[in-house]
Coordinates of all heavy atoms in Angstrom, one line a residue:
M1 N 0.9 -1.2 0.0 CA 0.0 0.0 0.0 C 0.9 1.2 0.0 O 1.7 1.4 0.9 CB -0.9 0.0 1.2 CG -1.9 1.1 1.3 SD -2.9 1.1 2.8 CE -3.8 -0.4 2.6
S2 N 0.8 2.0 -1.0 CA 1.6 3.2 -1.1 C 0.9 4.4 -0.4 O -0.3 4.5 -0.4 CB 1.8 3.5 -2.6 OG 2.5 4.7 -2.7
C3 N 1.7 5.3 0.0 CA 1.2 6.5 0.7 C 0.4 7.4 -0.2 O -0.5 8.1 0.2 CB 2.3 7.4 1.3 SG 3.2 6.5 2.6
Y4 N 0.7 7.3 -1.5 CA 0.1 8.3 -2.5 C -1.2 7.7 -3.1 O -1.9 8.4 -3.9 CB 1.1 8.6 -3.6 CG 2.3 9.2 -3.0 CD1 3.5 8.5 -3.0 CD2 2.3 10.5 -2.4 CE1 4.6 9.0 -2.4 CE2 3.4 11.0 -1.8 CZ 4.6 10.3 -1.8 OH 5.7 10.8 -1.3
N5 N -1.6 6.5 -2.8 CA -2.7 5.9 -3.4 C -4.0 6.1 -2.6 O -5.1 5.8 -3.0 CB -2.6 4.4 -3.6 CG -1.5 4.1 -4.7 OD1 -1.2 5.0 -5.5 ND2 -1.0 2.9 -4.7
E6 N -3.9 6.6 -1.4 CA -5.0 6.8 -0.5 C -5.7 8.1 -0.8 O -5.1 9.1 -1.2 CB -4.6 6.8 1.0 CG -4.0 5.5 1.5 CD -5.0 4.4 1.6 OE1 -6.2 4.8 1.9 OE2 -4.7 3.3 1.3
R7 N -7.1 8.1 -0.6 CA -7.9 9.3 -0.9 C -8.0 10.2 0.3 O -8.0 11.4 0.2 CB -9.2 8.9 -1.5 CG -9.1 8.2 -2.8 CD -10.5 8.0 -3.4 NE -10.4 7.4 -4.7 CZ -11.1 6.3 -5.0 NH1 -12.0 5.8 -4.2 NH2 -10.9 5.8 -6.2
N8 N -8.1 9.6 1.4 CA -8.4 10.4 2.6 C -7.0 10.9 3.2 O -6.1 10.1 3.4 CB -9.1 9.5 3.7 CG -9.5 10.3 4.9 OD1 -9.1 11.5 5.0 ND2 -10.3 9.7 5.7
L9 N -6.9 12.2 3.3 CA -5.6 12.7 3.8 C -5.2 12.3 5.2 O -4.0 12.1 5.4 CB -5.6 14.3 3.7 CG -5.7 14.9 2.3 CD1 -5.8 16.4 2.4 CD2 -4.5 14.5 1.5
K10 N -6.2 12.1 6.1 CA -5.8 11.7 7.4 C -5.3 10.3 7.4 O -4.3 10.0 8.1 CB -7.0 11.8 8.3 CG -7.5 13.2 8.6 CD -8.7 13.2 9.5 CE -9.1 14.6 9.8 NZ -10.3 14.7 10.6
S11 N -5.9 9.4 6.6 CA -5.4 8.0 6.6 C -4.1 7.9 5.8 O -3.2 7.1 6.1 CB -6.4 7.1 6.0 OG -6.6 7.4 4.6
V12 N -3.8 8.8 4.9 CA -2.6 8.8 4.1 C -1.4 9.1 5.1 O -0.4 8.4 5.1 CB -2.6 9.9 3.0 CG1 -1.2 10.1 2.5 CG2 -3.6 9.5 1.9
G13 N -1.6 10.1 5.9 CA -0.5 10.4 6.9 C -0.3 9.2 7.8 O 0.9 8.9 8.1
F14 N -1.3 8.6 8.3 CA -1.2 7.5 9.3 C -0.5 6.3 8.6 O 0.3 5.6 9.1 CB -2.5 7.1 9.9 CG -2.4 5.9 10.8 CD1 -1.9 6.1 12.0 CD2 -2.9 4.7 10.4 CE1 -1.7 5.0 12.9 CE2 -2.8 3.6 11.2 CZ -2.2 3.8 12.5
V15 N -1.0 6.0 7.3 CA -0.5 4.9 6.6 C 1.0 5.1 6.3 O 1.9 4.2 6.5 CB -1.2 4.6 5.3 CG1 -0.5 3.6 4.4 CG2 -2.6 4.1 5.6
C16 N 1.4 6.3 5.9 CA 2.8 6.6 5.6 C 3.6 6.4 6.8 O 4.7 5.8 6.8 CB 2.9 8.0 5.1 SG 2.4 8.2 3.4
I17 N 3.2 6.9 7.9 CA 4.0 6.8 9.2 C 4.0 5.4 9.6 O 5.1 4.9 10.0 CB 3.3 7.7 10.3 CG1 3.5 9.2 9.9 CG2 3.9 7.4 11.6 CD1 2.8 10.1 10.8
S18 N 2.9 4.7 9.6 CA 3.0 3.3 10.0 C 3.8 2.4 9.1 O 4.5 1.5 9.6 CB 1.6 2.7 10.1 OG 1.0 2.6 8.8
E19 N 3.9 2.7 7.8 CA 4.7 1.9 6.9 C 6.2 2.2 7.2 O 7.1 1.4 7.2 CB 4.4 2.3 5.4 CG 3.2 1.6 4.9 CD 2.9 1.9 3.5 OE1 3.7 2.6 2.9 OE2 1.8 1.5 3.0
R20 N 6.5 3.5 7.4 CA 7.9 3.9 7.7 C 8.4 3.2 9.0 O 9.5 2.8 9.1 CB 8.0 5.4 7.8 CG 7.9 6.1 6.5 CD 8.1 7.5 6.6 NE 7.8 8.2 5.3 CZ 7.4 9.4 5.2 NH1 7.3 10.2 6.2 NH2 7.2 9.9 4.0
V21 N 7.5 3.3 10.1 CA 7.8 2.7 11.3 C 8.0 1.2 11.2 O 9.0 0.6 11.7 CB 6.8 3.0 12.4 CG1 7.0 2.1 13.6 CG2 6.8 4.4 12.7
K22 N 7.2 0.5 10.4 CA 7.3 -0.9 10.2 C 8.6 -1.2 9.4 O 9.3 -2.2 9.8 CB 6.1 -1.4 9.3 CG 6.1 -2.9 9.1 CD 4.9 -3.3 8.3 CE 4.9 -4.8 8.1 NZ 3.9 -5.3 7.2
D23 N 8.9 -0.5 8.4 CA 10.2 -0.7 7.7 C 11.4 -0.5 8.6 O 12.3 -1.3 8.6 CB 10.3 0.3 6.5 CG 9.4 -0.1 5.4 OD1 8.9 -1.2 5.3 OD2 9.1 0.8 4.5
R24 N 11.3 0.5 9.4 CA 12.4 0.8 10.4 C 12.5 -0.3 11.4 O 13.6 -0.8 11.7 CB 12.2 2.1 11.1 CG 13.4 2.7 11.7 CD 13.2 4.0 12.3 NE 12.8 5.0 11.3 CZ 12.0 6.0 11.5 NH1 11.5 6.2 12.7 NH2 11.7 6.8 10.5
M25 N 11.4 -0.8 11.9 CA 11.4 -1.9 12.8 C 12.0 -3.2 12.2 O 12.7 -3.9 12.8 CB 10.0 -2.2 13.4 CG 9.6 -1.1 14.4 SD 7.9 -1.3 15.0 CE 8.0 -2.8 15.8
D26 N 11.6 -3.4 10.9 CA 12.1 -4.6 10.2 C 13.6 -4.5 10.0 O 14.3 -5.5 10.2 CB 11.4 -4.7 8.8 CG 10.0 -5.2 8.9 OD1 9.6 -5.7 10.0 OD2 9.2 -5.0 7.9
K27 N 14.1 -3.3 9.6 CA 15.6 -3.2 9.5 C 16.3 -3.3 10.8 O 17.3 -3.9 10.9 CB 15.8 -1.8 8.9 CG 15.4 -1.7 7.4 CD 15.7 -0.3 6.9 CE 15.2 -0.1 5.5 NZ 15.3 1.2 5.0
H28 N 15.6 -2.8 11.9 CA 16.2 -2.9 13.2 C 16.3 -4.4 13.6 O 17.3 -4.8 14.2 CB 15.4 -2.1 14.2 CG 15.9 -2.2 15.6 ND1 17.1 -1.6 16.0 CD2 15.4 -2.8 16.7 CE1 17.3 -1.9 17.3 NE2 16.3 -2.6 17.7
Q29 N 15.2 -5.1 13.4 CA 15.1 -6.5 13.7 C 16.2 -7.3 13.0 O 16.9 -8.2 13.5 CB 13.7 -7.1 13.4 CG 13.5 -8.5 13.9 CD 13.6 -8.7 15.4 OE1 13.3 -7.7 16.1 NE2 13.9 -9.8 15.8
I30 N 16.4 -7.0 11.7 CA 17.4 -7.7 10.9 C 18.8 -7.4 11.4 O 19.6 -8.3 11.5 CB 17.2 -7.3 9.4 CG1 15.9 -7.9 8.8 CG2 18.4 -7.8 8.6 CD1 15.6 -7.4 7.4
L31 N 19.0 -6.2 11.7 CA 20.3 -5.8 12.2 C 20.6 -6.5 13.6 O 21.7 -7.0 13.8 CB 20.4 -4.3 12.4 CG 21.7 -3.7 13.0 CD1 22.9 -4.0 12.0 CD2 21.6 -2.2 13.2
K32 N 19.6 -6.5 14.4 CA 19.7 -7.2 15.7 C 20.0 -8.7 15.5 O 20.9 -9.2 16.2 CB 18.4 -7.0 16.5 CG 18.4 -7.7 17.8 CD 17.1 -7.5 18.5 CE 17.0 -8.4 19.8 NZ 15.7 -8.5 20.3
E33 N 19.3 -9.3 14.6 CA 19.6 -10.8 14.4 C 21.0 -11.0 13.8 O 21.7 -11.9 14.2 CB 18.5 -11.3 13.4 CG 17.2 -11.5 14.1 CD 16.1 -12.0 13.1 OE1 16.5 -12.3 11.9 OE2 15.0 -12.0 13.5
C34 N 21.4 -10.1 12.9 CA 22.8 -10.2 12.4 C 23.9 -10.1 13.5 O 24.8 -10.8 13.5 CB 23.0 -9.2 11.3 SG 22.2 -9.5 9.8
V35 N 23.7 -9.1 14.4 CA 24.6 -8.9 15.5 C 24.6 -10.1 16.4 O 25.7 -10.6 16.8 CB 24.3 -7.6 16.2 CG1 25.1 -7.5 17.5 CG2 24.6 -6.4 15.3
E36 N 23.4 -10.6 16.7 CA 23.3 -11.8 17.6 C 24.0 -13.0 16.9 O 24.8 -13.7 17.6 CB 21.9 -12.2 17.8 CG 21.2 -11.3 18.8 CD 19.7 -11.6 19.0 OE1 19.2 -12.6 18.4 OE2 19.0 -11.0 19.8
N37 N 23.8 -13.2 15.6 CA 24.5 -14.3 15.0 C 26.0 -14.1 14.9 O 26.8 -15.1 15.1 CB 23.9 -14.5 13.6 CG 22.5 -15.0 13.6 OD1 22.1 -15.6 14.5 ND2 21.8 -14.7 12.5
L38 N 26.5 -12.9 14.7 CA 27.9 -12.6 14.7 C 28.5 -12.9 16.1 O 29.6 -13.5 16.2 CB 28.2 -11.2 14.3 CG 29.6 -10.8 14.2 CD1 30.3 -11.6 13.1 CD2 29.7 -9.3 13.8
T39 N 27.8 -12.5 17.1 CA 28.4 -12.8 18.5 C 28.4 -14.3 18.8 O 29.3 -14.8 19.4 CB 27.6 -12.0 19.5 OG1 26.2 -12.4 19.5 CG2 27.8 -10.5 19.4
L40 N 27.4 -15.0 18.3 CA 27.3 -16.4 18.5 C 28.4 -17.1 17.8 O 29.1 -18.1 18.3 CB 26.0 -17.0 18.1 CG 24.8 -16.7 19.1 CD1 23.5 -17.2 18.5 CD2 25.0 -17.3 20.4
L41 N 28.7 -16.7 16.6 CA 29.8 -17.3 15.8 C 31.2 -17.0 16.4 O 32.1 -17.9 16.5 CB 29.8 -16.8 14.4 CG 28.8 -17.5 13.5 CD1 28.8 -16.8 12.1 CD2 29.1 -19.0 13.3
T42 N 31.3 -15.8 17.0 CA 32.6 -15.4 17.6 C 32.7 -16.3 18.9 O 33.8 -16.8 19.2 CB 32.5 -13.9 18.0 OG1 32.4 -13.2 16.8 CG2 33.8 -13.5 18.7
Q43 N 31.6 -16.4 19.6 CA 31.7 -17.3 20.8 C 32.1 -18.7 20.5 O 32.9 -19.3 21.2 CB 30.3 -17.2 21.5 CG 30.2 -18.2 22.7 CD 28.8 -18.3 23.3 OE1 27.9 -17.5 22.9 NE2 28.6 -19.2 24.2
L44 N 31.5 -19.2 19.4 CA 31.8 -20.6 19.0 C 33.3 -20.7 18.7 O 33.9 -21.7 19.1 CB 30.9 -21.0 17.9 CG 31.1 -22.4 17.3 CD1 30.8 -23.5 18.4 CD2 30.3 -22.7 16.1
G45 N 33.8 -19.8 17.9 CA 35.2 -19.9 17.4 C 36.1 -19.8 18.6 O 37.1 -20.6 18.7
L46 N 35.8 -18.9 19.6 CA 36.7 -18.8 20.7 C 36.6 -20.1 21.6 O 37.6 -20.5 22.2 CB 36.4 -17.6 21.6 CG 36.7 -16.3 20.9 CD1 36.2 -15.1 21.7 CD2 38.2 -16.2 20.7
S47 N 35.4 -20.6 21.7 CA 35.2 -21.8 22.5 C 35.9 -23.0 21.9 O 36.2 -24.0 22.7 CB 33.7 -22.1 22.6 OG 33.0 -21.1 23.3
I48 N 36.1 -23.0 20.6 CA 36.8 -24.1 20.0 C 38.3 -23.9 20.1 O 39.1 -24.9 20.3 CB 36.3 -24.3 18.5 CG1 34.9 -24.8 18.5 CG2 37.2 -25.3 17.8 CD1 34.3 -24.7 17.1
A49 N 38.8 -22.7 19.8 CA 40.2 -22.5 19.7 C 40.9 -22.3 21.1 O 42.1 -22.8 21.2 CB 40.4 -21.2 18.9
L50 N 40.3 -21.7 22.0 CA 41.0 -21.4 23.3 C 41.3 -22.6 24.2 O 42.4 -22.6 24.8 CB 40.3 -20.3 24.0 CG 40.4 -18.9 23.4 CD1 39.7 -17.9 24.3 CD2 41.9 -18.5 23.3
P51 N 40.5 -23.5 24.4 CA 40.9 -24.6 25.3 C 42.1 -25.4 25.0 O 43.0 -25.5 25.8 CB 39.6 -25.5 25.3 CG 38.5 -24.7 25.0 CD 39.1 -23.6 24.0
P52 N 42.4 -25.8 23.7 CA 43.6 -26.4 23.4 C 44.8 -25.5 23.5 O 45.9 -25.9 24.0 CB 43.5 -26.8 21.9 CG 42.1 -26.9 21.6 CD 41.4 -25.8 22.5
V53 N 44.7 -24.2 23.2 CA 45.8 -23.2 23.3 C 46.2 -23.1 24.8 O 47.3 -23.1 25.1 CB 45.4 -21.9 22.6 CG1 46.4 -20.8 23.0 CG2 45.3 -22.1 21.1
I54 N 45.2 -22.9 25.6 CA 45.4 -22.7 27.0 C 46.0 -23.9 27.6 O 47.0 -23.8 28.4 CB 44.1 -22.2 27.8 CG1 43.7 -20.8 27.3 CG2 44.3 -22.3 29.3 CD1 42.4 -20.4 27.8
C55 N 45.5 -25.1 27.3 CA 46.1 -26.3 27.8 C 47.5 -26.5 27.3 O 48.4 -27.0 28.1 CB 45.2 -27.5 27.4 SG 43.7 -27.6 28.3
F56 N 47.8 -26.2 26.1 CA 49.2 -26.4 25.6 C 50.1 -25.4 26.3 O 51.3 -25.7 26.7 CB 49.3 -26.2 24.1 CG 49.0 -27.4 23.3 CD1 48.2 -27.4 22.2 CD2 49.6 -28.6 23.6 CE1 47.9 -28.5 21.5 CE2 49.4 -29.7 22.9 CZ 48.5 -29.7 21.8
Y57 N 49.7 -24.2 26.5 CA 50.5 -23.2 27.2 C 50.8 -23.6 28.6 O 51.9 -23.6 29.1 CB 49.8 -21.8 27.2 CG 50.6 -20.8 27.9 CD1 51.7 -20.2 27.3 CD2 50.2 -20.3 29.2 CE1 52.4 -19.2 28.0 CE2 50.9 -19.4 29.8 CZ 52.0 -18.8 29.2 OH 52.7 -17.8 29.9
A58 N 49.7 -24.1 29.3 CA 49.9 -24.6 30.7 C 50.8 -25.8 30.7 O 51.6 -25.9 31.6 CB 48.5 -24.9 31.3
A59 N 50.7 -26.7 29.8 CA 51.5 -27.9 29.7 C 53.0 -27.5 29.5 O 53.9 -28.1 30.1 CB 51.0 -28.9 28.7
G60 N 53.2 -26.6 28.6 CA 54.6 -26.1 28.3 C 55.2 -25.5 29.5 O 56.4 -25.7 29.9
W61 N 54.4 -24.7 30.3 CA 54.9 -24.1 31.5 C 55.2 -25.1 32.5 O 56.3 -25.1 33.2 CB 53.8 -23.1 32.0 CG 54.3 -22.4 33.2 CD1 55.1 -21.3 33.3 CD2 53.9 -22.7 34.6 NE1 55.2 -20.9 34.6 CE2 54.5 -21.8 35.4 CE3 53.1 -23.7 35.1 CZ2 54.4 -21.8 36.8 CZ3 53.0 -23.7 36.5 CH2 53.6 -22.8 37.3
L62 N 54.3 -26.1 32.7 CA 54.6 -27.2 33.7 C 55.8 -28.0 33.3 O 56.6 -28.4 34.1 CB 53.3 -28.1 33.8 CG 52.2 -27.6 34.6 CD1 51.0 -28.5 34.5 CD2 52.6 -27.4 36.1
R63 N 55.9 -28.3 32.0 CA 57.0 -29.1 31.5 C 58.4 -28.4 31.8 O 59.3 -29.0 32.2 CB 56.9 -29.3 30.0 CG 57.9 -30.3 29.5 CD 57.5 -30.6 28.0 NE 58.5 -31.5 27.5 CZ 59.0 -31.6 26.3 NH1 58.4 -30.8 25.4 NH2 59.9 -32.4 26.0
N64 N 58.4 -27.1 31.5 CA 59.7 -26.3 31.8 C 59.9 -26.1 33.3 O 61.0 -26.2 33.8 CB 59.6 -25.0 31.1 CG 59.7 -25.1 29.6 OD1 60.2 -26.1 29.1 ND2 59.2 -24.1 28.9
R65 N 58.8 -25.9 34.0 CA 59.0 -25.6 35.5 C 59.3 -26.8 36.3 O 60.1 -26.8 37.2 CB 57.6 -25.0 35.9 CG 57.6 -24.5 37.3 CD 58.1 -23.1 37.4 NE 57.8 -22.6 38.7 CZ 58.1 -21.4 39.1 NH1 58.7 -20.6 38.3 NH2 57.8 -21.0 40.3
L66 N 58.6 -27.9 36.0 CA 58.8 -29.1 36.8 C 59.6 -30.2 36.1 O 59.7 -31.3 36.6 CB 57.4 -29.7 37.2 CG 56.5 -28.7 38.0 CD1 55.1 -29.4 38.2 CD2 57.1 -28.3 39.3
D67 N 60.1 -29.9 34.9 CA 60.9 -30.8 34.2 C 60.2 -32.2 33.9 O 60.7 -33.2 34.2 CB 62.3 -31.1 34.9 CG 63.3 -31.7 33.9 OD1 63.2 -31.4 32.7 OD2 64.2 -32.4 34.4
L68 N 58.9 -32.0 33.4 CA 58.1 -33.2 33.1 C 58.4 -33.6 31.7 O 59.0 -32.9 30.8 CB 56.6 -32.8 33.2 CG 56.2 -32.4 34.6 CD1 54.7 -31.9 34.5 CD2 56.3 -33.6 35.5
G69 N 58.0 -34.8 31.3 CA 58.3 -35.4 30.0 C 57.3 -34.9 29.0 O 56.5 -34.0 29.2
L70 N 57.4 -35.5 27.8 CA 56.5 -35.1 26.7 C 55.1 -35.6 26.9 O 54.1 -35.1 26.3 CB 57.1 -35.7 25.4 CG 56.6 -35.1 24.1 CD1 56.8 -33.7 24.0 CD2 57.2 -35.8 22.9
W71 N 54.9 -36.5 27.8 CA 53.5 -37.0 28.1 C 52.6 -35.9 28.5 O 51.4 -36.0 28.3 CB 53.5 -38.1 29.1 CG 54.0 -37.6 30.5 CD1 55.3 -37.6 30.9 CD2 53.2 -37.1 31.5 NE1 55.3 -37.0 32.2 CE2 54.0 -36.7 32.6 CE3 51.8 -36.8 31.7 CZ2 53.6 -36.2 33.8 CZ3 51.4 -36.3 32.8 CH2 52.2 -36.0 33.9
I72 N 53.1 -34.8 29.1 CA 52.2 -33.7 29.6 C 51.6 -33.0 28.4 O 50.5 -32.5 28.5 CB 53.0 -32.8 30.5 CG1 52.0 -31.8 31.3 CG2 54.0 -31.9 29.8 CD1 51.3 -32.5 32.4
M73 N 52.3 -33.0 27.3 CA 51.8 -32.3 26.1 C 50.6 -33.2 25.5 O 49.6 -32.6 25.0 CB 52.8 -32.1 25.0 CG 53.9 -31.2 25.5 SD 53.3 -29.6 26.1 CE 53.4 -28.7 24.5
A74 N 50.8 -34.5 25.6 CA 49.7 -35.4 25.1 C 48.5 -35.2 26.0 O 47.3 -35.2 25.5 CB 50.2 -36.8 25.1
A75 N 48.7 -35.1 27.3 CA 47.6 -34.9 28.2 C 46.9 -33.6 27.9 O 45.6 -33.5 27.9 CB 48.0 -35.0 29.6
A76 N 47.7 -32.6 27.6 CA 47.1 -31.3 27.3 C 46.3 -31.3 26.0 O 45.2 -30.7 25.9 CB 48.2 -30.2 27.2
L77 N 46.7 -32.1 25.1 CA 46.0 -32.3 23.8 C 44.6 -32.9 24.1 O 43.6 -32.4 23.6 CB 46.8 -33.1 22.8 CG 46.1 -33.4 21.5 CD1 45.9 -32.1 20.7 CD2 46.8 -34.4 20.7
V78 N 44.6 -33.9 24.9 CA 43.4 -34.6 25.2 C 42.4 -33.7 26.0 O 41.2 -33.6 25.6 CB 43.7 -35.9 26.0 CG1 42.4 -36.5 26.6 CG2 44.4 -36.9 25.2
F79 N 42.9 -33.0 27.0 CA 42.1 -32.1 27.8 C 41.6 -30.9 26.9 O 40.5 -30.5 27.1 CB 42.8 -31.6 29.0 CG 42.9 -32.7 30.1 CD1 44.1 -33.1 30.6 CD2 41.7 -33.2 30.6 CE1 44.2 -34.0 31.6 CE2 41.8 -34.2 31.6 CZ 43.0 -34.6 32.1
G80 N 42.5 -30.4 26.1 CA 42.1 -29.3 25.3 C 41.0 -29.6 24.3 O 40.0 -28.9 24.1
L81 N 41.2 -30.7 23.6 CA 40.2 -31.2 22.6 C 38.9 -31.6 23.3 O 37.8 -31.3 22.8 CB 40.7 -32.3 21.8 CG 41.8 -32.0 20.8 CD1 42.3 -33.2 20.1 CD2 41.4 -30.9 19.9
G82 N 39.0 -32.2 24.5 CA 37.8 -32.5 25.3 C 37.0 -31.2 25.7 O 35.8 -31.2 25.6
G83 N 37.8 -30.2 26.1 CA 37.1 -28.9 26.4 C 36.5 -28.3 25.2 O 35.4 -27.7 25.3
S84 N 37.1 -28.4 24.0 CA 36.5 -27.9 22.8 C 35.2 -28.6 22.4 O 34.2 -28.0 22.0 CB 37.5 -28.0 21.6 OG 38.5 -27.1 21.8
V85 N 35.3 -30.0 22.5 CA 34.1 -30.8 22.2 C 32.9 -30.5 23.2 O 31.8 -30.3 22.8 CB 34.4 -32.3 22.2 CG1 33.2 -33.1 22.2 CG2 35.4 -32.6 21.1
A86 N 33.3 -30.3 24.5 CA 32.2 -29.9 25.5 C 31.6 -28.6 25.1 O 30.4 -28.4 25.3 CB 32.8 -29.9 26.9
S87 N 32.4 -27.6 24.7 CA 31.9 -26.3 24.4 C 31.0 -26.4 23.1 O 30.0 -25.7 23.1 CB 33.1 -25.4 24.1 OG 33.8 -25.1 25.2
I88 N 31.4 -27.2 22.2 CA 30.6 -27.3 21.0 C 29.2 -28.0 21.3 O 28.2 -27.6 20.9 CB 31.3 -28.2 19.9 CG1 32.5 -27.4 19.3 CG2 30.3 -28.6 18.8 CD1 33.4 -28.3 18.5
W89 N 29.3 -29.0 22.2 CA 28.1 -29.7 22.6 C 27.1 -28.7 23.4 O 25.9 -28.6 23.1 CB 28.4 -30.8 23.6 CG 27.2 -31.6 24.0 CD1 26.6 -31.5 25.3 CD2 26.4 -32.5 23.3 NE1 25.6 -32.3 25.3 CE2 25.4 -33.0 24.1 CE3 26.5 -33.0 22.0 CZ2 24.5 -33.9 23.7 CZ3 25.6 -33.9 21.6 CH2 24.6 -34.3 22.4
K90 N 27.7 -27.9 24.3 CA 26.8 -26.9 25.0 C 26.3 -25.9 24.0 O 25.1 -25.4 24.1 CB 27.6 -26.2 26.1 CG 27.9 -27.1 27.3 CD 28.7 -26.4 28.3 CE 29.1 -27.3 29.4 NZ 29.9 -26.6 30.4
F91 N 27.1 -25.4 23.1 CA 26.6 -24.4 22.1 C 25.5 -25.0 21.3 O 24.5 -24.4 21.0 CB 27.8 -24.0 21.2 CG 27.5 -23.0 20.2 CD1 27.5 -21.7 20.6 CD2 27.2 -23.3 18.9 CE1 27.2 -20.7 19.6 CE2 26.9 -22.3 18.0 CZ 26.9 -21.0 18.3
W92 N 25.6 -26.3 20.8 CA 24.6 -26.9 20.0 C 23.3 -27.0 20.8 O 22.2 -26.8 20.3 CB 25.1 -28.3 19.6 CG 24.1 -29.0 18.8 CD1 23.2 -30.0 19.2 CD2 23.8 -28.8 17.4 NE1 22.4 -30.4 18.1 CE2 22.7 -29.7 17.0 CE3 24.3 -27.9 16.4 CZ2 22.2 -29.7 15.8 CZ3 23.7 -28.0 15.2 CH2 22.7 -28.9 14.8
K93 N 23.4 -27.4 22.1 CA 22.2 -27.5 22.9 C 21.5 -26.1 23.1 O 20.3 -26.0 23.0 CB 22.5 -28.1 24.3 CG 22.8 -29.6 24.2 CD 21.6 -30.3 23.7 CE 21.8 -31.8 23.7 NZ 20.7 -32.5 23.1
M94 N 22.3 -25.1 23.2 CA 21.7 -23.7 23.4 C 21.0 -23.3 22.1 O 19.9 -22.8 22.1 CB 22.9 -22.7 23.7 CG 22.4 -21.3 23.8 SD 23.7 -20.1 23.9 CE 24.3 -20.2 22.2
I95 N 21.6 -23.6 20.9 CA 21.0 -23.2 19.6 C 19.7 -24.0 19.4 O 18.7 -23.5 19.0 CB 22.0 -23.5 18.5 CG1 23.2 -22.5 18.6 CG2 21.3 -23.3 17.1 CD1 22.8 -21.0 18.5
E96 N 19.8 -25.3 19.8 CA 18.6 -26.1 19.7 C 17.5 -25.6 20.6 O 16.3 -25.6 20.1 CB 19.0 -27.6 20.1 CG 18.1 -28.6 19.5 CD 18.7 -30.0 19.8 OE1 18.8 -30.4 21.0 OE2 19.1 -30.7 18.9
K97 N 17.8 -25.2 21.8 CA 16.8 -24.7 22.7 C 16.2 -23.4 22.1 O 15.0 -23.2 22.2 CB 17.4 -24.5 24.1 CG 16.4 -24.0 25.1 CD 17.0 -23.7 26.4 CE 17.5 -24.9 27.1 NZ 18.1 -24.6 28.5
R98 N 17.0 -22.5 21.6 CA 16.6 -21.3 21.0 C 15.6 -21.6 19.8 O 14.6 -20.9 19.6 CB 17.7 -20.5 20.5 CG 18.2 -19.5 21.4 CD 19.2 -18.6 20.7 NE 19.7 -17.7 21.7 CZ 20.5 -16.6 21.4 NH1 20.8 -16.4 20.1 NH2 20.9 -15.8 22.3
G99 N 16.0 -22.5 19.0 CA 15.1 -22.9 17.9 C 13.8 -23.4 18.3 O 12.7 -23.1 17.7
N100 N 13.8 -24.2 19.3 CA 12.5 -24.8 19.8 C 11.6 -23.7 20.4 O 10.4 -23.7 20.3 CB 12.7 -25.9 20.8 CG 13.3 -27.1 20.2 OD1 13.2 -27.3 19.0 ND2 13.9 -27.9 21.0
R101 N 12.3 -22.7 21.1 CA 11.6 -21.6 21.7 C 11.0 -20.7 20.7 O 9.8 -20.2 20.9 CB 12.5 -20.8 22.6 CG 11.8 -19.8 23.5 CD 12.7 -19.1 24.5 NE 14.1 -19.4 24.3 CZ 15.1 -18.6 24.5 NH1 14.9 -17.4 24.9 NH2 16.4 -19.0 24.4
S102 N 11.7 -20.4 19.6 CA 11.2 -19.5 18.6 C 10.0 -20.1 17.7 O 9.2 -19.4 17.2 CB 12.3 -19.1 17.7 OG 12.8 -20.2 16.9
H103 N 10.0 -21.5 17.7 CA 8.9 -22.1 16.9 C 7.6 -22.2 17.7 O 6.6 -22.5 17.1 CB 9.3 -23.5 16.5 CG 10.4 -23.5 15.4 ND1 10.2 -23.0 14.2 CD2 11.7 -23.9 15.4 CE1 11.2 -23.1 13.4 NE2 12.2 -23.7 14.2
K104 N 7.6 -22.0 19.0 CA 6.4 -22.1 19.8 C 5.5 -20.9 19.6 O 5.8 -19.8 19.3 CB 6.7 -22.3 21.2 CG 7.2 -23.7 21.5 CD 7.5 -23.9 22.9 CE 8.0 -25.4 23.1 NZ 8.2 -25.7 24.5

């Protein structure tokens, strides 16, 4: 419905304003969803990358500090990857819950 197709001037003003507000709200909603998705992807990336990095750093520090063998690096790999998998699992469950909530 275009603002210029209406005959009644009072309704023309209201229709124009309501269409503009609706368009602005739609754009705002799209921007909000894009920002939410971007933050979720950033969270996922950090949740995957940081656990192994932190575990390797801690294992290297322990290895140098306490003169431990190479086995500590293998343990760090297992714990780091386990932390990443747990983060992915929790992220997946959160997304699944959000999807179910939005469909209701």
